[in-house]
Amino acid sequence: MRIRATVAAVTGALALSALAMPAAQADNHTPDLASLVPSTSKATPFTAAAPADESLGDTKITAVTVNGGKNIVVGTTVKKSFTVSVTATDPEGVHDAFAMLWHGPDTDSADGAIVPETLDNDQVGNCTNSSATTATCKVTLIADPNENVYSNILAGTWKVWAAATGNDGDYQIREAYKTAKVQRASKLTVNASPEPVKKGKTITVTGKLSRANWDDNKYHGYTGQSVKLQFRKKGSDTYTTVKTIKSNSTGELKTTVTASADGYFRYSFAGTTTTPAINAAGDFVDVQ
């Protein structure tokens, strides 16, 4: 039920006007850009189709930056707000530009979309002109684990739909200008014991690797993942890898080492396409 409701909400949002032109410029050659905005219609993907870009005249999109170039990490309850910037050029000046994220093999069978809240405004992007012909327009997008990031199937690579229009009615639309990663937030713990411990004795280091589950909005163990046990000697700023182990069927981590010097133990996870890298906070062990 929640999936159907979410896709329905996305469909409605994407049907709104995208890049409204000033009324004085609404002549016969100005396209109905709202009709070119993709809409989602299915909760499950079908056979992929090649993206069909649209353009008129000499408006050009020259750059798109999503979240400052960083991956978008979403947990189980808190909305993640991020900025997308679109830089475009037109000899007559840029009127508007914006971008949004969509997931799926093609826009006709997209199963997710993250769109600007300003999609129904006269001007979608907040534009700053760097010259008479170039502008960078920014929009804020919100990834919500209770709405548009509603299932684990959406973790990983999303496509970036971008559009820009000039003051003369020219425009360019790129259905897949680039890609961006939307990831399930991760957690990592560590506990080294006993504390204190005598030199030469065994230290047991436990912990757990878990990640957000968007299907039930809880954190679950991330199983079968390689995780490094690292050590930082007291007085040093550098961690070195002691060994690599794998998380078990519930995400738990456990290994043993020989006590040699005072210092901090931590687990370190390198990340995957769907889950970000994370380091546990170091746990200090006093070796006597």
Side-chain angles (χ1 to χ4, degrees):
M1 180 65 70
R2 187 158 67 105
I3 291 177
R4 290 196 295 270
T6 300
V7 173
V10 169
T11 303
L14 291 175
L16 299 173
S17 175
L19 293 167
M21 294 297 299
Q25 298 171 2
D27 53 33
N28 292 333
H29 79 273
T30 301
D32 177 11
L33 290 180
S35 68
L36 301 176
V37 177
S39 60
T40 58
S41 58
K42 302 176 181 70
T44 54
F46 289 83
T47 303
D53 297 341
E54 299 281 351
S55 64
L56 175 70
D58 43 22
T59 301
K60 300 295 181 185
I61 298 169
T62 59
V64 176
T65 302
V66 179
N67 195 35
K70 300 177 182 178
N71 295 337
I72 301 149
V73 179
V74 183
T76 58
T77 57
V78 178
K79 298 177 183 180
K80 171 65 177 180
S81 176
F82 60 98
T83 300
V84 181
S85 301
V86 179
T87 301
T89 64
D90 187 284
E92 301 301 319
V94 175
H95 170 67
D96 198 7
F98 82 100
M100 59 189 180
L101 274 60
W102 61 277
H103 184 273
D106 60 82
T107 56
D108 288 335
S109 53
D111 53 8
I114 306 173
V115 304
E117 292 188 324
T118 55
L119 194 61
D120 57 343
N121 291 359
D122 289 340
Q123 188 167 14
V124 182
N126 181 8
C127 299
T128 301
N129 294 319
S130 57
S131 71
T133 61
T134 303
T136 297
C137 304
K138 297 181 179 181
V139 291
T140 299
L141 275 61
I142 298 176
D144 186 348
N146 291 302
E147 185 179 334
N148 51 19
V149 183
Y150 59 86
S151 173
N152 293 334
I153 63 172
L154 300 177
T157 301
W158 289 54
K159 300 177 183 70
V160 181
W161 189 99
T165 186
N167 288 326
D168 55 359
D170 292 349
Y171 71 95
Q172 183 177 52
I173 288 177
R174 299 282 299 275
E175 287 195 356
Y177 185 89
K178 66 188 304 183
T179 60
K181 284 186 173 58
V182 181
Q183 297 180 312
R184 297 162 60 180
S186 54
K187 293 182 177 181
L188 185 57
T189 62
V190 66
N191 182 58
S193 63
E195 303 172 50
V197 63
K198 289 185 178 182
K199 187 174 183 178
K201 295 296 184 181
T202 297
I203 298 174
T204 300
V205 187
T206 59
K208 184 173 183 177
L209 175 65
S210 58
R211 61 175 177 166
N213 186 312
W214 297 333
D215 292 327
D216 62 7
N217 296 114
K218 297 179 182 179
Y219 279 84
H220 295 273
Y222 197 7
T223 66
Q225 299 302 307
S226 295
V227 180
K228 294 178 180 179
L229 174 66
Q230 298 182 327
F231 179 73
R232 175 169 65 87
K233 192 173 182 179
K234 183 179 179 180
S236 172
D237 295 326
T238 305
Y239 276 95
T240 58
T241 298
V242 178
K243 63 174 71 175
T244 300
I245 64 172
K246 283 186 177 291
S247 57
N248 69 9
S249 60
T250 59
E252 303 287 342
L253 302 161
K254 185 176 181 180
T255 191
T256 59
V257 294
T258 300
S260 60
D262 292 353
Y264 300 82
F265 286 96
R266 75 176 185 185
Y267 280 118
S268 178
F269 173 58
T272 62
T273 299
T274 61
T275 309
I278 189 172
N279 293 319
D283 187 28
F284 182 75
V285 175
D286 179 14
V287 177
Q288 298 178 343

